[in-house]
Amino acid sequence: MRNWSFCLLFTGWIAAYFFPAGTTGAAIPGDFALGAGGPLDPFARPDTTAVLVAFLSLDCPVARDYLEPLDRLLTDHGGKGLRVIGVVPGKSQAEVDQATKGFRMGYPMMADPDFLITGILEATTTPEVVLLNPGKEVVYRGRVDNKYAARLKPRASVSRHDLREALTEFLEGKPVTVKVTTPIGCLIRPLPSVPAQEEPSAAKVTFYRDVLPVLQRHCQECHRPGEAGPFSLITYKDALQWADDIRDFTVSGRMPPWKPTGGVKLLHDRRLGSMEVKVLADWVSQGKKAGDPLEAPKSRVFPNGWSMGEPDLVLTVGDDFHLGANGSDHYRCFVLPSGLTRDRHIVGFEVRPGNPEVVHHVLNFFDTTGKARAMAGVAGSEKNPSGDHGPGYVSVMGIGFTPEDPSTVGGLGGWAPGMRGVRAHEGTGFLLPKGSDVILQVHYHRNGKAVRDKTRIGLYFAREGGTVRTQSLKSLVIPGVLSPSDGYVPFCRIPAGRKDYQVTGKVVVEEDARLYLIAPHMHMLGARVRCTMIPPGGTEKLILAIDEWDYAWQEVYQLAEPLQVPAGTVIQVDAVFDNSAANPFNPFSPPRNVPKGEGTHDEMLFAFLRLTSASPGAQLKSRVLTQPGDYPR
């Protein structure tokens, strides 16, 4: 970012009440100036045709997405007299300068510690933009575009560039068609004043005694400097700034992120307990009191090394991967040769992102065919439009290919922020064949600046010998094969416009087994999914349900206790797809028929399971049911 010096001149506060900025066409106070009338004051430059004030926050993930797009807007229109100024409410200039290191912007970022600019222009949200003409009249205010359908929910594609269209119309001397839109992001909430020495509080819930322990247990793993959370929740000031969001997101269940809504008990469950949710909500409703710092628990210490001890094998991506600042999420497969000269069982693993701020989650695989290695070699390190380049290859859908022999490729579990080491159940392990490659499919979520990453994985092998044996976790794949919505015809497409299109599939397990892991999989039209089982002569049991499918949060779920699966058990997957125009994640506008397939914008349904059984081989003995008569209506 350029090294700008600023000062802000605000006088005539009474005038602000007579010239409200909230209505387009109204003038802001005549003595409102950025740069105090000096050479950096955009209003003072005779060639200024429009001034864009963008309210931004480096803590808000939605706002960070727009730092570079605003720079591109300046590049495209700066020669036409556009001036862009970023305003960060509630921060000092020193904090802004520190937070913007590493971001590339050609416009100044100005602190608004006392919310003066924010108040005059009546901004409510970051990001929010206000476009002013040379007469200081508001000609457009609101969002930059419609990338986000809701906070933290980006659309599959941007169909409306509101700011760019309004600016183009204005610069061409045309009336602005859409003058006001609703911004989506983080609400601007001035912090309440905090006494230097707070009196003992009579509140039932206080930060140091009650709230901080909850944040330490469930939030700080990600919400601390350098980690995946967009802002920190270490101090009282941190929590105070985000208090209303903490309440709203935990009461609704949106945070901590955990998609399963029903089924058997799972390991690594990130949800808060009902009493913990109540503590956070009560703290906000009772005035967000700090309480006595002496009642605070000891600061949580986060380990720097491997949480389960030194791994038997550490595999690291060879070179740095360069992730561009902006664009859609990036999915990249890194191929790591294992170098094993004999088969081994993996009984534990730990994924260590090189840059935790951008690594959203990781899925692990092995490949004995060499195809992934060949794909990585062909991909090279060419840059794409977002500036991504380095080792590996792009694959949104798993490892990017389906092997002819299913035993030559397999899953090795997954990782998401907040997880440390992952152990297989006692006596079980993932078979890693000799000479195989380990593939890490890394889901990157951009944070507004160009960064590097070099992720690694530590593997822990079974200690075998004598009477000690490790059972291999075998694969079972349940495909979606029929559509109840169309009379149980074979599933081959999701018709355009269908909001609740159902797909189902069944597999009969033909040998006694035990179920340990499950991972449902759909693409962007997925809405809901559930997996059930019916043992011979028994009743249906729900294994897993996800009522709000999110393509960006696909995980491998590990059962807390294995399920017995007697021979003859039927395991079924049922899903609902939304191919309507109302689905913000629909990649096509207007909707079109989406075929079944492996492409990014194709659709599919699978449930991937891992089980053990007494028979040899990598695959479980099973049979897919494909006839409508096998599915009672």
Side-chain angles (χ1 to χ4, degrees):
M1 191 184 78
R2 297 177 186 173
N3 183 19
W4 299 84
S5 299
F6 306 105
C7 60
L8 177 64
L9 177 64
F10 280 100
T11 57
W13 282 96
I14 297 178
Y17 291 97
F18 295 97
F19 298 97
T23 305
T24 56
I28 63 175
D31 49 9
F32 169 81
L34 295 167
L40 297 180
D41 179 2
F43 295 106
R45 296 176 59 167
D47 60 340
T48 297
T49 56
V51 174
L52 180 67
V53 182
F55 292 89
L56 301 167
S57 166
L58 280 301
D59 293 330
C60 178
V62 180
R64 284 205 307 250
D65 272 358
Y66 287 97
L67 295 176
E68 189 173 278
L70 288 170
D71 188 59
R72 290 199 299 269
L73 194 76
L74 176 61
T75 300
D76 294 343
H77 296 284
K80 303 172 186 177
L82 173 68
R83 307 289 176 250
V84 177
I85 297 173
V87 174
V88 183
K91 298 289 186 180
S92 69
Q93 194 62 52
E95 290 175 310
V96 171
D97 292 342
Q98 177 64 30
T100 52
K101 286 182 179 179
F103 291 93
R104 301 173 183 174
M105 291 108 59
Y107 54 90
M109 289 284 282
M110 175 179 289
D112 187 18
D114 298 318
F115 302 91
L116 300 179
I117 310 174
T118 305
I120 283 184
L121 291 182
E122 296 185 355
T124 63
T125 307
T126 60
E128 182 174 354
V129 294
V130 180
L131 183 64
L132 306 169
N133 65 16
K136 303 176 186 176
E137 295 174 326
V138 179
V139 296
Y140 172 79
R141 68 157 54 245
R143 66 189 184 186
V144 176
D145 55 36
N146 72 339
K147 176 179 179 179
Y148 282 86
R151 184 172 168 188
L152 302 182
K153 290 189 176 181
R155 299 177 188 272
S157 59
V158 177
S159 60
R160 172 75 186 176
H161 296 270
D162 306 272
L163 173 59
R164 186 175 289 272
E165 292 172 18
L167 180 61
T168 299
E169 290 175 336
F170 173 72
L171 293 177
E172 292 178 353
K174 300 175 182 178
V176 175
T177 305
V178 179
K179 298 180 174 64
V180 178
T181 58
T182 302
I184 292 176
C186 305
L187 292 179
I188 299 172
R189 296 188 178 103
L191 284 174
S193 58
V194 180
Q197 184 64 42
E198 187 179 73
E199 293 296 324
S201 174
K204 294 181 180 179
V205 179
T206 66
F207 173 78
Y208 289 111
R209 184 186 64 226
D210 307 299
V211 172
L212 183 56
V214 177
L215 300 182
Q216 287 182 346
R217 287 193 298 268
H218 296 283
C219 306
Q220 290 183 1
E221 183 73 43
C222 296
H223 286 275
R224 55 191 171 97
E227 292 297 325
F231 51 83
S232 179
L233 289 177
I234 300 294
T235 68
Y236 172 57
K237 183 179 178 181
D238 294 336
L240 194 62
Q241 179 176 356
W242 297 98
D244 294 287
D245 279 350
I246 291 171
R247 175 198 59 200
D248 296 346
F249 276 72
T250 55
V251 168
S252 66
R254 288 177 289 172
M255 284 288 164
W258 183 252
K259 290 301 174 181
T261 51
V264 300
K265 186 177 180 181
L266 303 169
L267 295 178
H268 311 295
D269 189 333
R270 293 187 288 273
R271 289 175 295 184
L272 300 178
S274 59
M275 291 306 298
E276 292 173 313
V277 173
K278 186 176 186 302
V279 163
L280 299 178
D282 288 348
W283 176 61
V284 175
S285 65
Q286 293 175 16
K288 311 167 190 174
K289 298 296 184 181
D292 186 351
L294 295 177
E295 295 184 306
K298 291 183 179 179
S299 298
R300 182 175 173 184
V301 178
F302 297 93
N304 293 320
W306 301 97
S307 64
M308 299 190 299
E310 191 64 26
D312 296 305
L313 177 64
V314 176
L315 301 176
T316 306
V317 176
D319 296 313
D320 286 348
F321 175 69
H322 298 253
L323 182 73
N326 290 94
S328 58
D329 285 9
H330 188 78
Y331 296 79
R332 198 165 192 92
C333 287
F334 299 102
V335 182
L336 312 177
S338 69
L340 293 178
T341 58
R342 63 186 178 96
D343 295 350
R344 301 297 300 265
H345 277 104
I346 298 173
V347 296
F349 65 86
E350 183 168 347
V351 173
R352 300 293 300 274
N355 192 328
E357 293 184 15
V358 295
V359 177
H360 189 282
H361 73 255
V362 179
L363 297 178
N364 314 316
F365 303 86
F366 73 84
D367 173 31
T368 63
T369 68
K371 188 168 183 178
R373 191 183 304 185
M375 292 171 66
V378 171
S381 60
E382 295 181 359
K383 291 185 179 181
N384 62 16
S386 296
D388 311 320
H389 66 283
Y393 60 93
V394 177
S395 178
V396 179
M397 310 304 165
I399 58 175
F401 66 93
T402 302
E404 295 182 6
D405 179 357
S407 66
T408 60
V409 171
L412 299 175
W415 171 92
M419 295 173 66
R420 286 288 174 176
V422 177
R423 289 190 181 276
H425 289 83
E426 187 70 26
T428 71
F430 298 96
L431 179 65
L432 182 60
K434 63 180 180 181
S436 59
D437 294 325
V438 173
I439 306 170
L440 304 183
Q441 190 220 28
V442 181
H443 171 190
Y444 289 107
H445 184 75
R446 306 176 196 274
N447 66 356
K449 59 182 175 181
V451 297
R452 299 182 180 186
D453 175 59
K454 185 185 285 188
T455 291
R456 54 182 173 156
I457 185 172
L459 304 178
Y460 300 84
F461 297 138
R463 301 288 185 262
E464 299 186 84
T467 60
V468 178
R469 293 289 184 270
T470 301
Q471 286 189 292
S472 297
L473 290 164
K474 301 181 179 183
S475 296
L476 176 65
V477 180
I478 306 174
V481 294
L482 299 176
S483 172
S485 295
D486 284 339
Y488 288 89
V489 298
F491 167 43
C492 61
R493 64 173 183 161
I494 310 292
R498 299 287 286 273
K499 181 175 178 60
D500 295 302
Y501 193 77
Q502 301 173 25
V503 177
T504 187
K506 288 182 180 180
V507 163
V508 178
V509 179
E510 297 182 321
E511 58 178 314
D512 291 344
R514 302 179 84 190
L515 174 62
Y516 290 87
L517 297 101
I518 181 170
H521 179 68
M522 299 185 285
H523 292 181
M524 305 190 75
L525 297 180
R528 302 186 296 277
V529 66
R530 55 188 277 129
C531 192
T532 56
M533 60 177 279
I534 303 178
T539 58
E540 181 180 89
K541 181 179 184 65
L542 178 63
I543 303 172
L544 178 72
I546 296 176
D547 292 333
E548 187 178 338
W549 176 259
D550 186 344
Y551 179 76
W553 275 103
Q554 300 195 50
E555 296 189 49
V556 178
Y557 297 104
Q558 189 175 10
L559 278 61
E561 297 292 338
L563 280 178
Q564 297 292 339
V565 181
T569 295
V570 176
I571 303 181
Q572 181 168 343
V573 62
D574 295 283
V576 173
F577 296 85
D578 183 357
N579 194 12
S580 71
N583 180 4
F585 312 115
N586 196 326
F588 302 110
S589 181
R592 65 179 71 169
N593 292 336
V594 175
K596 174 184 176 182
E598 295 186 2
T600 303
H601 292 156
D602 295 338
E603 200 48 83
M604 61 170 56
L605 170 62
F606 288 104
F608 299 101
L609 289 76
R610 284 287 194 152
L611 309 91
T612 60
S613 72
S615 65
Q619 302 295 308
L620 198 73
K621 294 178 182 177
S622 61
R623 175 170 49 93
V624 179
L625 301 180
T626 60
Q627 299 304 309
D630 296 323
Y631 295 78
R633 307 187 190 191

